[in-house]
């Protein structure tokens, strides 16, 4: 059966395991092995990203605080602070990304995080609508609530907006494949010109 073709494609695949020279002819067994292997490699990679991000974030962030004590010239301090701020932001983003991915793969929170899939499938729609709603609520051209609300109220408003968007995403994706702005983005990407 090895190497024969059927009307549907390959009947079997040949794969050599270099550790003990076994040959696998079963396509499902190969897929199961490769997915477990990829997840294991993925987890190791994200653990390394997490460690590297933590190890680089704290010294960079700490250096930003003491930098004005060592550099007195404004023309040198501003670019150095900007560079360190950008590097600390990249490192903190690595902490967040790797942390969420590791929590997903290594803890029992996988089911909880998996519930956020609809929100992620409509990320462009959510990002833009959240920006517009927040700007309307807090800027002067809208309601200008920044003058009247404190940190706690702003946090609760943000959570409310998130949950409204989350339930909207679940409702929308029951009858559509993707969000409205994702659909527009896809159409604009594959638009034929001329």
């Amino acid at each position: 059966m090895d190497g024969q073709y059927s009307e549907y494609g390959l009947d079997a695949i040949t794969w050599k395991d270099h550790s003990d020279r076994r040959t696998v002819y079963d396509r499902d067994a190969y897929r199961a092995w490769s997915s477990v292997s990829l997840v294991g490699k993925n987890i190791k990679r994200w653990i390394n990203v997490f460690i590297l991000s933590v190890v680089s974030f704290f010294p960079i962030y700490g250096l930003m605080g003491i930098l004005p004590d060592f550099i007195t010239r404004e023309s040198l301090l501003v670019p150095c602070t900007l560079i360190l701020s950008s590097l600390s932001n990249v490192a903190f983003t690595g902490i967040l990304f790797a942390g969420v991915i590791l929590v997903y793969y290594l803890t029992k929170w996988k089911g909880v995080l998996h519930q956020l899939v609809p929100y992620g499938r409509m990320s462009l729609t959510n990002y833009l609508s959240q920006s517009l709603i927040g700007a309307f609520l807090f800027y002067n051209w809208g309601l200008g609530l920044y003058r009247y609300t404190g940190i706690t109220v702003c946090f609760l408003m943000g959570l409310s907006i998130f949950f409204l968007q989350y339930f909207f995403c679940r409702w929308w994706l029951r009858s559509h494949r993707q969000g409205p702005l994702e659909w527009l983005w896809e159409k604009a990407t594959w638009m034929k010109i001329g």
Side-chain angles (χ1 to χ4, degrees):
M1 188 165 220
D2 182 28
Q4 294 178 351
Y5 294 91
S6 70
E7 60 189 83
Y8 301 106
L10 280 175
D11 284 332
I13 58 168
T14 303
W15 169 71
K16 296 275 190 193
D17 182 5
H18 297 291
S19 61
D20 62 358
R21 299 288 184 206
R22 288 182 294 139
T23 303
V24 176
Y25 290 99
D26 185 11
R27 201 181 292 179
D28 292 332
Y30 173 73
R31 285 186 184 143
W33 177 86
S34 64
S35 67
V36 168
S37 174
L38 287 176
V39 167
K41 287 179 183 178
N42 223 1
I43 289 172
K44 288 178 185 175
R45 182 173 294 133
W46 285 109
I47 288 172
N48 289 337
V49 168
F50 186 78
I51 291 170
L52 179 67
S53 298
V54 168
V55 167
S56 60
F57 172 74
F58 288 105
I60 293 170
Y61 191 76
L63 187 59
M64 283 182 358
I66 62 171
L67 197 62
D69 296 339
F70 295 105
I71 300 175
T72 56
R73 288 181 41 200
E74 185 79 21
S75 61
L76 189 57
L77 180 63
V78 171
C80 287
T81 304
L82 181 66
I83 290 170
L84 288 176
S85 174
S86 298
L87 289 174
S88 72
N89 288 342
V90 169
F92 191 68
T93 301
I95 292 171
L96 292 177
F97 269 81
V100 168
I101 290 169
L102 291 173
V103 165
Y104 182 80
Y105 279 115
L106 299 177
T107 67
K108 295 181 181 194
W109 285 77
K110 186 175 191 171
V112 174
L113 290 174
H114 198 68
Q115 295 296 318
L116 296 175
V117 167
Y119 195 82
R121 286 183 57 199
M122 291 179 55
S123 56
L124 179 62
T125 302
N126 289 329
Y127 175 74
L128 290 177
S129 65
Q130 203 171 68
S131 298
L132 289 172
I133 292 168
F136 175 74
L137 289 175
F138 295 107
Y139 279 97
N140 280 332
W141 59 266
L143 299 177
L145 293 179
Y146 73 93
R147 294 178 287 217
Y148 312 110
T149 55
I151 293 173
T152 306
V153 174
C154 289
F155 177 73
L156 293 174
M157 290 171 76
L159 273 179
S160 302
I161 292 168
F162 169 77
F163 282 115
L164 286 172
Q165 287 179 320
Y166 175 73
F167 290 119
F168 173 75
C169 292
R170 288 182 58 134
W171 172 79
W172 180 270
L173 291 174
R174 284 187 193 136
S175 57
H176 299 84
R177 189 173 60 89
Q178 58 194 9
L181 294 179
E182 287 77 11
W183 179 81
L184 282 173
W185 187 266
E186 180 184 20
K187 293 299 176 193
T189 301
W190 297 105
M191 181 173 43
K192 296 188 192 270
I193 299 175

